[in-house]
Amino acid sequence: MFREFLCEHRLENLLCAPGAFKPFPQCGDRDAWEKLAEEKKQFLLGWGKEALNGYPLITATQYMAYRRSGDRRIFEKPYFDRRILLFGAALAECVENQGRFVDAVIDGLWLICEESTWVVSAHNNQEPDDLYPLSQKCLPDQTNPYIDLFAAQTSSVLSYVLYLLGDQLNAVSPLIASRVKREIEQRILHPFLTHNDFWWMGYGSKTVNNWNPWILSNVIDTALLVETDTVRRNRTLERAMIMLDHYLQTMPQDGGCDEGAGYFNVAGASLLDCLESLYRASDGQIDFFGEPHIAAIGSYPEKVHIAGEYYLNFADCDAKPILDGERLYAYGSRTGNKRLKELGAFIFGGASGCGQQLMIRDTPQVNRTLFGLFAGPEQNVPEPKPAPFMQLADLQVFAWYHDGVYAAIKGGHNDESHNHNDIGTFVVYVDGEPQIVDMGNKVYTAATFGPNRYELDNTRSKNHNVPLIGGVEQHAGREYAAREVSADGRGARMNLAAAYPAQACVDSLVRTFVPENGTVTLQDEIRLARAQCVTWVFMLRHRPCIQPGEARFGTLKLCFDPALTPHVEEMVIDDPRMQRSFPGSLWRLTLEAGTGTSHHYAFAIHRI
């Protein structure tokens, strides 16, 4: 898409001149800042005052902690706090315009420029250990700059601070801006122009993921805000657009995101950021919002929204991800997607106070706060209801909604981004509340993306709503996949046999999933090459009450063959990230069938 565009158009004929990109009001535009609602002004001033108390220390041993213990937060908390404090001080100065926060801004800029690297410790050197000794991965190598998610994001933070407060900083000393620009050039712009070997660029064999648009959105803004050489700026943007093509090639035509809704902020919404900046910098001449594939990617959140804060959360996705309502609204506006606009406005208007609408989420993607300040959607919009039937055919994710009962199932394969071994798993919600669930995501550690990933309780199939065959779980890998998948408004059918390794001896495992009139019927027909027991797993939000052939939990009743042996296990949720979605406990209900080569069982899930 983008490569073809560049073959037909020259960016120098479309883009504004360097220095003319004005995406938001600068501090000197007093009318725009004075017109902000008083509530927003007070919030920004309170945020900025936090920086007046100073910035956190960052040490070498904090950086080394990830390699020593696997804990990312020891380094990442002070690292992100610095950037959030800096941006808060910059915004507060834009509101007040009295110089009170300028020194705090200078201190933040200087401290970040003094950092040995902007790459977080968990991303330090992407090469395998056998190519780059572990001892050299504990600390950054300044002679070999790399661009990870947060190095690119840092360059955007600094670029926006210079953009907002350039005159105020130059009044103190022109050396401030020149130092910042020199660091951006050495750490971001020059490596971006001279490297093709960073995996997220898409020139190698590794498939790209959300890193691609997330990094590129920050590189594009950096180039538009600080690059003064027209040729280098245009070359940077051309390369970024070609790399975006590599991302689009990985995205299914249905727009589904196998990383889950929790990643949309930094996947589909980052793609929007790239396109929006190009659109604005060209006065609308670079416009891809009418492309069906772009529109499909934007539609993903409204397709997987269940109710309130809940979304389908297959893979490393929280059941309650924090989505940026303004970005969804903007994407819906650009692509003419009414439901997406409504969902974005509902999220933005439903946030508890302007602080929730404007505060940086997770990491400092600062343009999101500026969009929230100056381009926020209308509020008091009613929540859109799910469609009666939703399908992401390429991802093999399907959902049905009728009379308050929401049910969804997935096929796919076990080599998706942020994969869980979960082919055939399903969820059921009633009146917007979780009943049969997917555990979702946990706080990331070294183990999350290491060789022992599938020893974690939330990634392995034994803790998903799929059967165990002779105690054997599904395996990870592209070859472990659903086959013969079909779905329509009446239900879904898929063969899960290939999801299991050879030792499970599965000849066929046909799962049928039929939601109808408030009841969900699950049926598994299993043929095995060797006689084995089969154990069905149901991950429940509420403690089940077991009677012969029946389990009641929450607002559902599960009916099953009384010959199956039930067992209930409480799983106390102690992970801080998972606690946000499922505070307290989840309950793992298993129903075991005796040994045999043929197992044919049906389960009826009724609303009570």
Side-chain angles (χ1 to χ4, degrees):
M1 182 185 301
F2 302 111
R3 190 183 297 270
E4 287 81 356
F5 179 88
L6 292 171
C7 288
E8 298 174 3
H9 302 83
R10 297 181 64 84
L11 292 187
E12 59 262 35
N13 297 329
L14 302 176
L15 292 171
C16 61
F21 181 57
K22 306 293 183 184
F24 304 103
Q26 295 170 286
C27 184
D29 186 352
R30 296 316 307 157
D31 187 56
W33 288 95
E34 293 295 338
K35 283 182 178 179
L36 288 178
E38 189 62 28
E39 183 185 14
K40 290 183 177 180
K41 292 180 184 178
Q42 292 305 314
F43 171 77
L44 295 177
L45 289 171
W47 182 0
K49 287 177 183 177
E50 296 177 18
L52 299 180
N53 296 321
Y55 292 82
L57 179 70
I58 292 179
T59 66
T61 52
Q62 286 174 325
Y63 201 91
M64 296 167 69
Y66 174 75
R67 292 290 171 185
R68 288 176 167 178
S69 69
D71 192 330
R72 297 176 59 142
R73 291 172 294 178
I74 291 174
F75 173 77
E76 289 183 9
K77 186 180 187 311
Y79 171 96
F80 290 129
D81 282 351
R82 277 188 173 186
R83 286 142 177 84
I84 293 170
L85 288 169
L86 166 63
F87 197 58
L91 292 174
E93 183 58 35
C94 287
V95 168
E96 193 173 77
N97 195 35
Q98 295 179 4
R100 179 161 63 122
F101 298 95
V102 170
D103 281 355
V105 171
I106 295 171
D107 282 343
L109 290 171
W110 210 259
L111 279 169
I112 292 171
C113 286
E114 290 288 325
E115 292 173 1
S116 297
T117 183
W118 293 342
V119 177
V120 298
S121 54
H123 299 161
N124 183 36
N125 299 311
Q126 297 294 299
E127 299 86 353
D129 289 342
D130 57 349
L131 297 180
Y132 207 107
L134 183 61
S135 61
Q136 295 182 41
K137 287 190 171 186
C138 290
L139 291 167
D141 180 0
Q142 288 183 294
T143 66
N144 184 28
Y146 180 65
I147 303 175
D148 78 327
L149 298 173
F150 305 119
Q153 200 174 63
T154 296
S155 75
S156 181
V157 173
L158 301 190
S159 298
Y160 271 109
V161 171
L162 292 187
Y163 168 78
L164 293 171
L165 294 170
D167 292 343
Q168 290 79 0
L169 296 171
N170 286 335
V172 176
S173 172
L175 292 175
I176 300 167
S178 65
R179 169 72 190 281
V180 172
K181 291 177 181 179
R182 184 169 66 251
E183 297 295 340
I184 289 173
E185 166 64 23
Q186 293 173 352
R187 300 175 192 240
I188 303 298
L189 294 177
H190 180 73
F192 183 79
L193 286 171
T194 57
H195 279 266
N196 284 339
D197 56 339
F198 298 157
W199 69 267
W200 52 264
M201 293 178 166
Y203 293 109
S205 58
K206 185 174 179 180
T207 301
V208 301
N209 61 9
N210 67 287
W211 276 51
N212 177 286
W214 189 354
I215 290 174
L216 293 175
S217 67
N218 287 291
V219 170
I220 288 171
D221 278 4
T222 296
L224 288 171
L225 290 169
V226 304
E227 179 58 77
T228 58
D229 185 286
T230 301
V231 174
R232 291 184 86 245
R233 182 199 63 173
N234 293 349
R235 178 59 181 150
T236 300
L237 298 180
E238 288 171 358
R239 282 175 58 80
M241 292 172 72
I242 290 170
M243 292 174 197
L244 279 177
D245 262 338
H246 300 157
Y247 177 68
L248 289 185
Q249 289 164 10
T250 71
M251 292 296 291
Q253 289 301 308
D254 62 22
C257 178
D258 63 2
E259 297 168 301
Y263 273 88
F264 187 81
N265 279 347
V266 292
S270 289
L271 174 63
L272 167 67
D273 289 341
C274 295
L275 302 182
E276 184 73 15
S277 291
L278 293 170
Y279 181 90
R280 292 184 174 209
S282 66
D283 195 22
Q285 295 183 86
I286 302 177
D287 182 1
F288 294 95
F289 293 111
E291 294 288 341
H293 197 190
I294 299 298
I297 292 170
S299 70
Y300 177 74
E302 54 97 352
K303 289 181 177 177
V304 297
H305 178 239
I306 299 172
E309 297 180 278
Y310 289 108
Y311 293 75
L312 273 181
N313 67 316
F314 302 133
D316 274 350
C317 179
D318 305 308
K320 288 184 174 181
I322 301 174
L323 293 186
D324 191 306
E326 186 281 327
R327 291 287 77 192
L328 269 61
Y329 180 87
Y331 212 142
S333 298
R334 289 292 190 206
T335 59
N337 186 326
K338 182 175 180 291
R339 282 175 55 84
L340 185 62
K341 281 184 64 177
E342 290 174 347
L343 178 60
F346 169 74
I347 295 169
F348 190 84
S352 54
C354 73
Q356 287 299 313
Q357 298 167 356
L358 301 177
M359 191 60 186
I360 286 168
R361 295 164 173 81
D362 295 329
T363 63
Q365 190 72 15
V366 297
N367 65 327
R368 304 294 171 81
T369 294
L370 292 168
F371 276 121
L373 279 172
F374 296 107
E378 64 217 53
Q379 299 191 28
N380 301 317
V381 174
E383 177 181 5
K385 296 293 184 184
F389 172 58
M390 183 282 295
Q391 65 172 331
L392 295 166
D394 297 317
L395 278 188
Q396 298 180 355
V397 172
F398 313 98
W400 299 260
Y401 176 77
H402 178 73
D403 194 26
V405 177
Y406 181 98
I409 191 170
K410 76 175 295 290
H413 59 83
N414 278 337
D415 193 30
E416 298 167 341
S417 289
H418 295 268
N419 178 70
H420 291 191
N421 291 337
D422 61 355
I423 297 166
T425 196
F426 65 95
V427 299
V428 180
Y429 281 62
V430 178
D431 294 332
E433 292 298 323
Q435 305 296 329
I436 301 177
V437 303
D438 188 296
M439 293 179 72
N441 210 357
K442 301 178 72 171
V443 171
Y444 287 160
T445 67
T448 305
F449 302 109
N452 299 322
R453 173 176 174 84
Y454 294 103
E455 294 178 11
L456 301 173
D457 57 6
N458 66 315
T459 62
R460 55 193 302 182
S461 65
K462 68 172 289 186
N463 293 322
H464 289 81
N465 302 310
V466 296
L468 305 174
I469 311 298
V472 176
E473 301 180 50
Q474 295 182 10
H475 276 202
R478 184 63 179 82
E479 67 273 26
Y480 299 99
R483 311 289 188 207
E484 304 159 25
V485 177
S486 62
D488 57 25
R490 296 170 295 178
R493 186 179 188 275
M494 59 189 70
N495 193 332
L496 311 182
Y500 294 83
Q503 60 263 40
C505 301
V506 184
D507 288 336
S508 177
L509 199 172
V510 176
R511 169 159 283 194
T512 305
F513 190 75
V514 180
E516 184 177 23
N517 297 327
T519 295
V520 179
T521 302
L522 176 74
Q523 181 173 280
D524 284 341
E525 301 176 58
I526 304 173
R527 290 187 290 105
L528 306 174
R530 174 166 54 87
Q532 299 188 78
C533 65
V534 174
T535 302
W536 281 268
V537 178
F538 298 87
M539 301 297 297
L540 310 179
R541 182 67 185 102
H542 304 283
R543 181 198 297 266
C545 177
I546 306 296
Q547 300 177 15
E550 180 182 291
R552 290 175 176 256
F553 47 90
T555 56
L556 289 179
K557 175 176 67 174
L558 170 65
C559 297
F560 54 88
D561 191 319
L564 297 176
T565 302
H567 177 75
V568 176
E569 173 190 1
E570 181 179 8
M571 302 183 71
V572 177
I573 304 303
D574 54 11
D575 178 84
R577 183 166 187 167
M578 194 178 291
Q579 282 178 340
R580 184 182 177 278
S581 296
F582 302 124
S585 296
L586 294 177
W587 303 86
R588 183 174 181 267
L589 168 65
T590 59
L591 301 172
E592 184 173 335
T595 302
T597 58
S598 179
H599 298 267
H600 183 179
Y601 289 90
F603 306 87
I605 303 165
H606 302 282
R607 180 173 185 168
I608 300 174

